[in-house]
Amino acid sequence: MSVNMAVDLGGIAMRNPVNTASGTFGNGVQFEGFYDVGATLGAITCKGVAAQPWDGNPAPRLAELPSAIMNSVGLQNPGVAGFVERYGAYLQGLRERGCAVICQIAGHSLEEYARATELFEELAPWASGFEVNISCPNIAAGGAAMGATPAAAAEVMRTVRPLTSRPVLVKMAPHDVAEIGRALQAEGADALSLINTIPAMALDVRTRRSRLARPTAGLSGPAIHAIAVRMVWECAQAVDLPLCGIGGIASWEDAAEMILAGATAVSVGTANLTDPLAAAHVAEGLERWAAEQGVDSITELVGAAEL
Amino acid sequence: MQDDVRPALHEFVVKVNEPVAQDTYRLLIEAPELARTIAAGQFMNLQVPGDASHILRIPLSFSCADAAAGTVELVYAVVGEGTARLAAMAPGQRSTLTGPSGTGWRVPEQPGRVLLVAGGVGLPPVIAAARMLAAAGVGFDAVVGARDAAHLYERGVDELRGMAPDQLCDCARRVLVTTDDGSAGIRGFVTQAVEPLLAERTYVQLMACGPAPMLRGVAELADAAQLPCQVSLERLMGCGFGACSCCNVELAAGGYALCCQDGPVFDAKEVVL
Ligand SMILES: Cc1cc2nc3c(=O)[nH]c(=O)nc-3n(C[C@H](O)[C@H](O)[C@H](O)COP(=O)(O)OP(=O)(O)OC[C@H]3O[C@@H](n4cnc5c(N)ncnc54)[C@H](O)[C@@H]3O)c2cc1C
Ligand SMILES: Cc1cc2nc3c(=O)[nH]c(=O)nc-3n(C[C@H](O)[C@H](O)[C@H](O)COP(=O)(O)O)c2cc1C
Ligand code: FES
């Protein structure tokens, strides 16, 4: 007996619920030496890309903590045109191999989000849909996240929504997920991805300096998993949209937990760095789990936690 | 940028893991496919078992890949928790690694002798470079720096002395040792041995690996002598194969390259050391 593993993430058809978290999976091609990405995953989410290239933050951008890492990459990206030139052919092929391709949109201002969306519309006809990263620093507001409040998040969504008819997901920061989720739903978001990294701080007590080049950076990995599950569950109570659960997923059990908490799909992030085969193993394990649970379709398990 | 670098996941078996100098170990692993495919200056990312709360792999260069025997030789310093766990791995133990990663050394296009410079555990990739040059019939001299005699990987120095003699030049190879305290070889930093060599003998290029201040010093000397200089850099690494952008290296022209993909070997002039 085989379980139907296909899911619909806000209009993005996925052969199985397994996606990859932006910034942790390159743009897919880096993993082709490890496994057949196109034949294995439901989707990949590409690195955040802006209208123009961004340099990102200085080194060091990384620190390792118990069961976690912190990063301050700062969205280094080659701009939409550079991204499409370098990865377009590969990503189009990936789509043809049956793996959905989600392009992530970054911006420092509403104008930049709009411009990036227009460029993607023009240059990336192969994209299955878009994910708007509302955690980008707002230059005009001194670097606070663009979508830090329900009103600000709604404004980003209002900017992007009219510019594309393809599915638009929003990548949410780890706070106020119920309120911000409702605001995004009202503005026509097709699905929500959560959570992004958790702002954190790590000091070298000898030098008294941050262990990274920035005072604070984003925490990710197994240590944040239980927080992410709780936020997915809270958001699922608040909105009527499919969710992509992200945060510390390193095994199929972690992914199954997200699904039970209300996620239609899951993204593997930091675990791709620890074990490049992690997302492939999650896909296999979820299928076995669904069969054991005796369902015909994995969708029957979405939000099926008995609390 | 080299998007054609496609590391794979390899299982390896520890054959030898022995102390060879203070806090320094020589690790011989069996990993036949890696031994066949890895090029001088490239590196691998090892998973060291024993502590699941350390989620990152350990990036290490290699000194010798023996395709016929299916083995790869690494030399590493114990500097923290991960390398201490690595030192505790016994022959027969298995784990996985990803590789080959990155862009390695390039044999100079113009004929002539190369000056190799190694500091501390910058020595293993320099030994690999020497093997590459010897195989290509390119002559070299070398300067090897260590903190003191106890930390010097002497077997590596002997290997550099013993490699096939230069084919294009009949003058003897010079392999000089420097130590910070003078307990072996010349007292001082490698740059103190590099400067007179550059004045005395003719080179077409330098290749260097070691701590950042050393690389800055060597690159300045190369620049003053108007010679190209390849440097192998180290960064903390998230993935080791271009997926996370955590290992940035500042470019002289502005912006960043990725150490694990565009490097670890760079043209010294292209990067901010
Ligand atoms: C491409 C590359 C090749 C390398 N080749 C060799 C080699 O052939 N032999 C060898 O002994 N070492 C090599 N290193 C360095 C080696 O990776 C680190 O020493 C190791 O990861 C430290 O792990 P740890 O858990 O023991 O140390 P930690 O407990 O994590 O840290 C201890 C100390 O080591 C430093 N450190 C940690 N990670 C790195 C790193 N990636 N690069 C430089 N310093 C680091 C930390 O800043 C700290 O001061 C290489 C590094 C890179 C990036
Ligand atoms: C190195 C690194 C780079 C990241 N880059 C992005 C990015 O460009 N856009 C984004 O929305 N999230 C980015 N993230 C956050 C991840 O997509 C994910 O939300 C977060 O890491 C939590 O999941 P995890 O614990 O499974 O890694 C990045 C995370 C890491 C570790
Ligand atoms: S370590 Fe991940 S991109 Fe270099």
Side-chain angles (χ1 to χ4, degrees), chain A residues 41-303:
Chain A
L41 300 182
I44 74 160
T45 306
C46 298
K47 174 79 193 161
V49 179
Q52 297 296 323
W54 291 0
D55 282 346
N57 289 323
R61 292 175 171 179
L62 179 69
E64 190 179 3
L65 284 89
S67 297
I69 60 170
M70 280 169 66
N71 90 84
S72 59
V73 171
L75 282 154
Q76 175 177 345
N77 77 85
V80 176
F83 167 82
V84 169
E85 189 188 320
R86 241 172 100 189
Y87 297 105
Y90 167 76
L91 293 171
Q92 178 168 1
L94 197 60
R95 180 101 196 260
E96 284 158 8
R97 286 151 71 196
C99 176
V101 175
I102 301 169
C103 288
Q104 195 184 64
I105 299 171
H108 287 136
S109 64
L110 295 176
E111 296 70 40
E112 284 188 32
Y113 279 109
R115 187 70 195 122
T117 310
E118 285 165 358
L119 283 168
F120 266 126
E121 268 299 302
E122 182 189 332
L123 300 173
W126 37 261
S128 311
F130 301 108
E131 180 177 85
V132 184
N133 181 352
I134 56 170
S135 300
C136 303
N138 181 340
I139 295 291
M146 282 295 302
T149 63
E155 212 177 0
V156 176
M157 193 60 212
R158 247 194 323 276
T159 304
V160 170
R161 183 68 281 178
L163 300 175
T164 178
S165 55
R166 279 180 268 180
V168 175
L169 288 65
V170 181
K171 177 74 173 279
M172 296 175 70
H175 62 83
D176 308 313
V177 293
E179 298 83 338
I180 294 178
R182 277 192 289 263
L184 290 166
Q185 176 171 338
E187 295 300 336
D190 293 297
L192 304 175
S193 303
L194 68 166
I195 58 176
N196 211 320
T197 54
I198 299 179
M201 195 165 186
L203 302 176
D204 180 328
V205 297
R206 285 179 195 81
T207 62
R208 304 191 199 173
R209 302 173 74 106
S210 170
R211 288 175 59 191
L212 298 96
R214 312 262 310 180
T216 65
L219 189 73
S220 66
I224 75 166
H225 178 65
I227 298 172
V229 173
R230 187 261 298 172
M231 289 192 171
V232 164
W233 177 71
E234 276 179 3
C235 191
Q237 312 303 305
V239 301
D240 189 19
L241 289 176
L243 305 182
C244 181
I246 313 175
I249 297 175
S251 66
W252 68 262
E253 288 95 331
D254 299 334
E257 222 181 334
M258 281 288 191
I259 291 171
L260 290 174
T264 294
V266 293
S267 284
V268 177
T270 300
N272 292 305
L273 315 183
T274 309
D275 174 9
L277 294 174
H281 290 152
V282 167
E284 273 166 33
L286 279 182
E287 190 161 0
R288 274 197 313 275
W289 170 65
E292 277 165 27
Q293 292 292 316
V295 295
D296 297 323
S297 160
I298 184 86
T299 56
E300 292 168 47
L301 293 166
V302 175

Side-chain angles (χ1 to χ4, degrees), chain A residues 23-26 29-31 33-34 55-59 61-62 64-68 73 76 86 270 273-274 276-277, chain B residues 1 3 6-9 47 52-57 98 235-239 241-246 248 255-256 258 261:
Chain A
T24 65
F25 201 67
V29 63
Q30 289 87 347
F31 286 76
F34 297 113
D55 282 346
N57 289 323
R61 292 175 171 179
L62 179 69
E64 190 179 3
L65 284 89
S67 297
V73 171
Q76 175 177 345
R86 241 172 100 189
T270 300
L273 315 183
T274 309
L277 294 174
Chain B
M1 295 251 186
D3 283 335
R6 291 272 181 287
L9 190 73
Q47 176 154 54
S53 75
H54 274 81
I55 61 173
L56 296 180
R57 289 167 182 263
T98 61
R235 284 291 181 277
L236 293 178
M237 287 189 179
C239 64
F241 47 84
C244 72
S245 303
C246 284
N248 58 324
Y256 299 103
L258 297 181
Q261 181 171 277

Side-chain angles (χ1 to χ4, degrees), chain B:
Chain B
M1 295 251 186
Q2 294 198 337
D3 283 335
D4 54 339
V5 178
R6 291 272 181 287
L9 190 73
H10 303 275
E11 177 161 277
F12 70 84
V13 186
V14 175
K15 306 300 282 182
V16 180
N17 194 10
E18 55 178 359
V20 288
Q22 192 172 331
D23 302 327
T24 308
Y25 287 74
R26 171 179 173 268
L27 173 68
L28 190 72
I29 57 171
E30 192 173 81
E33 203 192 322
L34 184 80
R36 257 193 317 105
T37 51
I38 198 162
Q42 288 188 304
F43 68 99
M44 64 207 80
N45 248 327
L46 290 94
Q47 176 154 54
V48 184
D51 185 353
S53 75
H54 274 81
I55 61 173
L56 296 180
R57 289 167 182 263
I58 295 186
L60 289 176
S61 305
F62 72 101
S63 44
C64 178
D66 185 337
T71 57
V72 180
E73 180 194 69
L74 299 80
V75 177
Y76 62 94
V78 173
V79 297
E81 203 280 334
T83 43
R85 249 184 302 128
L86 181 58
M89 281 186 85
Q93 251 186 291
R94 287 163 191 273
S95 186
T96 66
L97 61 84
T98 61
S101 268
T103 307
W105 305 105
R106 289 166 300 276
V107 176
E109 279 164 22
Q110 65 281 49
R113 195 191 299 118
V114 171
L115 180 57
L116 299 173
V117 188
V121 278
L123 183 52
V126 166
I127 294 173
R131 287 180 190 283
M132 172 189 83
L133 295 174
V138 177
F140 65 85
D141 287 342
V143 177
V144 176
R147 199 180 321 166
D148 52 35
H151 285 89
L152 180 68
Y153 175 46
E154 266 179 84
R155 208 186 304 181
V157 177
D158 293 342
E159 271 175 59
L160 292 173
R161 293 202 167 109
M163 268 175 223
D166 301 1
Q167 290 168 8
L168 296 172
C169 132
D170 46 25
C171 43
R173 174 177 310 145
R174 297 233 197 128
V175 177
L176 305 180
V177 168
T178 69
T179 51
D180 301 356
D181 65 354
S183 52
I186 303 161
R187 183 197 178 107
F189 296 129
V190 288
T191 39
Q192 274 152 277
V194 169
E195 196 165 11
L197 274 179
L198 284 175
E200 228 179 281
R201 287 161 73 102
T202 313
Y203 299 99
V204 291
Q205 194 173 121
L206 285 81
M207 298 186 185
C209 183
M214 179 205 107
L215 292 179
R216 268 195 295 277
V218 172
E220 275 168 26
L221 292 175
D223 196 36
Q226 294 186 303
L227 291 175
C229 180
Q230 297 181 50
V231 288
S232 179
L233 305 183
E234 286 184 359
R235 284 291 181 277
L236 293 178
M237 287 189 179
C239 64
F241 47 84
C244 72
S245 303
C246 284
C247 60
N248 58 324
V249 171
E250 193 179 351
L251 293 171
Y256 299 103
L258 297 181
C259 186
C260 73
Q261 181 171 277
D262 308 310
V265 178
F266 291 91
D267 180 339
K269 274 201 182 324
E270 283 174 8
V271 295
V272 178
L273 290 171

